[in-house]
Amino acid sequence: MLVVMTTDPGTTRRAPAGAAVLREDVTEAIRAAVFEELAAVGFARMSIEGIARRAGVGKTAVYRRWKSKLSLVLDLVSALATQGLPAPATGSLHGDVRALLEVASHALRHPVASQVIPDLLVEAARHPEISDAIKSALLDSQQGVAAMVVRDAVARGELPASTDPDKALDLIVGPLYWRLVVVRSGLPKGYLDELARGAVAALKA
């Protein structure tokens, strides 16, 4: 601990709290607690007190990093955007589409994500900041992946150069999102294979 000596050799005082370096393990504990709290109570009922309690820290530890629960959630959603989805490179359009569906279905079936994403989409209608962050995290990154899938397929001669990547994304992920997030239904055996074949056929039509 950094201390500063006073004129009395028998006493010491601490350095200002603001000079302390924020501990990364505490920051990660708070981030994990936010996802858990969102899944448990939703954004509207989520509180800094609840987040701090779940993370095992004091409220000041949260406020030293984020000024409000909105800024905290926006930070987390924006961080998801930087991670994005891995771009498949299987060597065929069907393989790439099938791989993309596998990754997307795994993410959407995660117990936390399946509860957090719908709640944030509702809040996005009330908070433009959340809407922008959600668009970046859930749409922009996936559009980039879809564009690479289409680009590679065009280069192999599997798709015409006029293929629209946005349309490709709708055809590939749209039905999956509807089933898992909106309808909240399970995936029958072979569903992803059928979805991949249908999406590829639609893109080539």
Side-chain angles (χ1 to χ4, degrees):
M1 179 180 67
L2 178 63
V3 297
V4 180
M5 298 301 297
T6 65
T7 54
D8 182 352
T11 62
T12 61
R13 64 182 177 86
R14 293 182 179 181
V21 177
L22 298 179
R23 289 173 49 187
E24 185 60 28
D25 61 328
V26 173
T27 302
E28 290 306 313
I30 295 172
R31 286 181 172 138
V34 172
F35 281 115
E36 294 172 3
E37 193 75 358
L38 276 171
V41 303
F43 179 83
R45 294 175 56 197
M46 186 178 74
S47 66
I48 295 297
E49 291 81 1
I51 293 169
R53 183 169 55 252
R54 193 178 288 272
V57 302
K59 289 191 298 182
T60 54
V62 181
Y63 281 118
R64 286 167 70 183
R65 292 163 172 81
W66 299 277
K67 63 181 180 180
S68 67
K69 70 175 185 179
L70 177 58
S71 62
L72 204 171
V73 170
L74 291 178
D75 176 60
L76 292 185
V77 173
S78 297
L80 290 176
T82 63
Q83 297 175 8
L85 291 173
T90 66
S92 72
L93 175 59
H94 180 273
D96 286 353
V97 169
R98 181 61 177 79
L100 182 56
L101 285 170
E102 186 68 39
V103 173
S105 67
H106 180 74
L108 291 174
R109 281 184 290 183
H110 189 283
V112 174
S114 65
Q115 297 180 66
V116 170
I117 292 175
D119 186 63
L120 288 181
L121 290 175
V122 171
E123 293 300 328
R126 305 186 184 100
H127 299 279
E129 303 97 328
I130 292 181
S131 178
D132 292 341
I134 288 290
K135 179 179 180 296
S136 177
L138 300 182
L139 181 60
D140 292 352
S141 60
Q142 293 185 25
Q143 283 178 324
V145 173
M148 285 186 278
V149 168
V150 169
R151 180 200 63 196
D152 292 345
V154 170
R156 290 190 297 263
E158 294 180 281
L159 290 177
S162 60
T163 302
D164 182 0
D166 289 344
K167 176 186 175 183
L169 182 62
D170 292 344
L171 290 170
I172 297 168
V173 182
L176 185 64
Y177 182 87
W178 172 263
R179 188 178 188 98
L180 292 179
V181 179
V182 180
V183 180
R184 303 178 74 82
S185 174
L187 300 182
K189 183 178 180 180
Y191 178 79
L192 293 183
D193 293 324
E194 294 177 5
L195 199 58
R197 287 193 293 269
V200 170
L203 286 171
K204 290 183 175 182

